[in-house]
Amino acid sequence: MHTLLILSSEQKTYRSIIGSANPPDLKIISEPSDECDILLGDPSLIRRALASLPNLKWVQSIWAGVEPLMDPALKRDYILTNARGVFGQLMSEYVLTYLLARERKIFHLRQLQTEKQWDDSNNGTLRSRTIGLLGVGSIGADVARMAKFFGMTVRGYTHSREESADVDEYFHGDSLMEFAGGLDYLVNILPSTKATHGIINADLLNALPNHALFINVGRGSAVDESALVEALTQNKIAGAVLDVFQQEPLPKDHPFWETPNLTITFHTAAPSLPEDIAGIFIENYRLYIEGKPLKYRVDFEKGY
Amino acid sequence: MHTLLILSSEQKTYRSIIGSANPPDLKIISEPSDECDILLGDPSLIRRALASLPNLKWVQSIWAGVEPLMDPALKRDYILTNARGVFGQLMSEYVLTYLLARERKIFHLRQLQTEKQWDDSNNGTLRSRTIGLLGVGSIGADVARMAKFFGMTVRGYTHSREESADVDEYFHGDSLMEFAGGLDYLVNILPSTKATHGIINADLLNALPNHALFINVGRGSAVDESALVEALTQNKIAGAVLDVFQQEPLPKDHPFWETPNLTITFHTAAPSLPEDIAGIFIENYRLYIEGKPLKYRVDFEKGY
């Protein structure tokens, strides 16, 4: 018999979905207990519970990002798996939403409508635009596939292998500035690690064309926030769309709220939908009871 | 030797693109003349020139819609071809822009941003939504392909053959109300003909679910405009996005400007880009001088 603790604001939904799949030999509990060997939940809640779970063997994060569990002061004697594979379409839709909002000038058109101004000047298309992906993991590959569907040119910057055939040109290591030159769109999808900390800095922003739009759906730590405020204020780039920040919720006195050409969303680009995440858990639970390697295992050294 | 008259506000661009392709035995002129046998242009300008072109053999419209030339009082002793095949991606992008703007609540999020309100409640996705296409020609097939790419369910209502494999379920003739029931999105792509006049009327709007969004990228004549104002004012449907109108530009005193949940754009969903249209003309000109059937010929009886 295994004992699963669920720590999430959507605990009831998870309990219902997982319960109805009848996973064998599994008892579900709601409070930390010595008997608990499996934990499913939100990494920020898991972090607080770790010390009171002496027999923990496996943690399934409901998020892709597991930074709260990377603190070296925390125990690491368990298998950590995260959520992957389900965010690709959601992230692609988010990126596409803001690419199209820009090409189709929808905020401008909405303003013209309120002024009863008919203006039939042409607008743009995604076809032949160049998009650069900072990070080409499974989400990056999905964004690349979407970009190719619309006839865009796709560049990818990655520390990993060149796995997506939808990327037209790969860049690695020192070629970051070369990667940025000439982009219409720069999209950050990198996880939060030491190597990616502050990678979007003044040098990178200066390497982008003035008309470029920067979209961050990775992690806030990748951005030098004051360099971005300066680039936007001085029109070095045309705009930015940020879903993630160094501090979330974004503090009321943060300069981003008043920075020109900056769109803020609330870490909602790719929500963890319980029906998706429960599916990952159930699949991994089957592997767990069979003693097989779990999917989406996190390497504590790499941080992803 | 053939003589081509170009009637378009972008005449110079067309002249330059076509000239640089060096079509054999072709003289290009800018004013109506007896020697003109070929005309390329904007149907509203062509309409006025028809009477002064006694030797006209072939007209290539730069638009998809050719209503100005369908008046039975006008001469019809020439071959009329329109522009097709180039609007699919532009139309798909337009439709997708407003599908995503709605799912991702971007106007609402913009408002929250101005109020410095962090609100991380989840938003929607296109996956599993149902879209109904009124009209499944080449543009409809492109919109269907885009919808399937994002995992939507696609219904098609058409008078023609069932040519797109991306349509999950086809409807014909009397099954219009059945087609409309349960749609999340209704998109009109029908050409302007007698059969499509006023097809989006109170009955059809009543058959849609309350949460449905209606998008019109076909022709304004397909919509019973007062029925639509009523459906929106009484929240019978959630919203409408209109790019085409019975009268364009939309008159300043038209009720649409002040109708709730109505988004107006300015017949700019799929602009005729000269590089696209010149390509169609050049291909058809080669067929014309070889005496072969031209592509995209319009049937004066059907009106498309």
Side-chain angles (χ1 to χ4, degrees), chain A residues 226-270:
Chain A
S226 29
L228 181 58
V229 169
E230 192 182 318
L232 288 166
T233 307
Q234 300 183 5
N235 294 307
K236 288 179 184 174
I237 63 171
V241 178
L242 307 179
D243 189 50
V244 287
F245 305 89
Q246 286 182 12
Q247 193 183 338
E248 296 176 10
L250 191 65
K252 294 275 185 195
D253 60 353
H254 197 287
F256 277 170
W257 291 109
E258 316 230 310
T259 301
N261 301 315
L262 177 60
T263 296
I264 292 170
T265 62
F266 316 114
H267 206 143
T268 48

Side-chain angles (χ1 to χ4, degrees), chain B residues 21-304:
Chain B
N22 283 316
D25 304 319
L26 185 67
K27 181 174 140 189
I28 304 179
I29 60 173
S30 309
E31 296 296 331
S33 132
D34 281 6
E35 61 179 336
C36 166
D37 61 332
I38 308 174
L39 209 168
L40 167 69
D42 166 340
S44 63
L45 300 178
I46 293 170
R47 180 190 164 94
R48 283 179 250 156
L50 277 182
S52 47
L53 298 168
N55 294 307
L56 191 64
K57 301 283 185 304
W58 165 40
V59 170
Q60 173 68 55
S61 165
I62 66 172
W63 297 349
V66 289
E67 299 93 280
L69 306 177
M70 292 302 111
D71 183 342
L74 298 172
K75 66 186 244 168
R76 293 181 168 192
D77 59 347
Y78 61 92
I79 294 168
L80 173 61
T81 56
N82 69 356
R84 295 179 215 174
V86 295
F87 302 115
Q89 171 158 358
L90 294 166
M91 286 289 194
S92 295
E93 286 185 3
Y94 178 91
V95 169
L96 190 58
T97 299
Y98 288 98
L99 261 55
L100 287 171
R102 195 228 187 159
E103 295 292 348
R104 295 300 180 136
K105 304 175 188 162
I106 75 172
F107 293 109
H108 177 60
L109 265 55
R110 166 70 52 113
Q111 181 58 33
L112 290 171
Q113 180 178 344
T114 65
E115 296 163 6
K116 300 190 183 182
Q117 292 293 332
W118 182 273
D119 175 359
D120 60 2
S121 50
N122 283 356
N123 46 55
T125 165
L126 297 177
R127 196 173 53 195
S128 306
R129 297 277 191 261
T130 299
I131 188 169
L133 308 176
L134 263 176
V136 194
S138 73
I139 290 171
D142 267 340
V143 177
R145 195 168 64 92
M146 177 276 290
K148 288 313 290 181
F149 183 86
F150 289 100
M152 302 180 81
T153 299
V154 182
R155 295 186 193 169
Y157 180 87
T158 181
H159 292 292
S160 312
R161 282 173 298 164
E162 302 181 355
E163 290 182 343
S164 165
D166 294 311
V167 173
D168 297 298
E169 195 177 1
Y170 275 101
F171 295 81
H172 304 276
D174 292 343
S175 64
L176 190 59
M177 299 304 142
E178 193 189 334
F179 160 81
L183 290 182
D184 298 304
Y185 295 101
L186 171 66
V187 180
N188 176 51
I189 321 170
L190 290 166
S192 175
T193 68
K194 277 182 196 166
T196 65
H197 190 89
I199 192 169
I200 296 120
N201 58 18
D203 287 348
L204 182 61
L205 293 166
N206 281 329
L208 290 170
N210 291 333
H211 70 270
L213 180 73
F214 167 57
I215 300 179
N216 191 9
V217 289
R219 282 294 180 262
S221 62
V223 176
D224 177 338
E225 296 192 338
S226 30
L228 181 57
V229 169
E230 193 182 317
L232 288 166
T233 307
Q234 300 184 4
N235 294 308
K236 287 179 184 173
I237 62 171
V241 178
L242 308 179
D243 188 51
V244 288
F245 306 89
Q246 287 183 12
Q247 193 183 337
E248 296 176 9
L250 192 65
K252 294 275 186 195
D253 60 351
H254 197 288
F256 277 170
W257 291 110
E258 315 230 310
T259 302
N261 301 315
L262 177 59
T263 295
I264 291 170
T265 62
F266 316 115
H267 206 142
T268 48
S272 291
L273 305 175
E275 56 272 32
D276 289 337
I277 309 301
I280 292 176
F281 173 79
I282 291 162
E283 188 181 354
N284 258 343
Y285 179 70
R286 299 227 166 91
L287 297 169
Y288 180 73
I289 57 180
E290 290 170 11
K292 292 181 179 166
L294 304 190
K295 289 184 80 167
Y296 311 139
R297 183 162 181 180
V298 173
D299 179 329
F300 282 99
E301 292 310 312
K302 287 188 185 164
Y304 61 91

Side-chain angles (χ1 to χ4, degrees), chain A residues 52-67:
Chain A
S52 47
L53 298 168
N55 295 306
L56 191 65
K57 300 284 185 304
W58 164 40
V59 170
Q60 173 68 56
S61 165
I62 65 173
W63 297 349
V66 289
E67 298 93 282

Side-chain angles (χ1 to χ4, degrees), chain A residues 35-53:
Chain A
E35 60 179 336
C36 166
D37 61 332
I38 308 174
L39 209 168
L40 168 70
D42 166 339
S44 63
L45 300 177
I46 293 170
R47 180 190 164 93
R48 283 179 250 157
L50 277 182
S52 47
L53 298 168

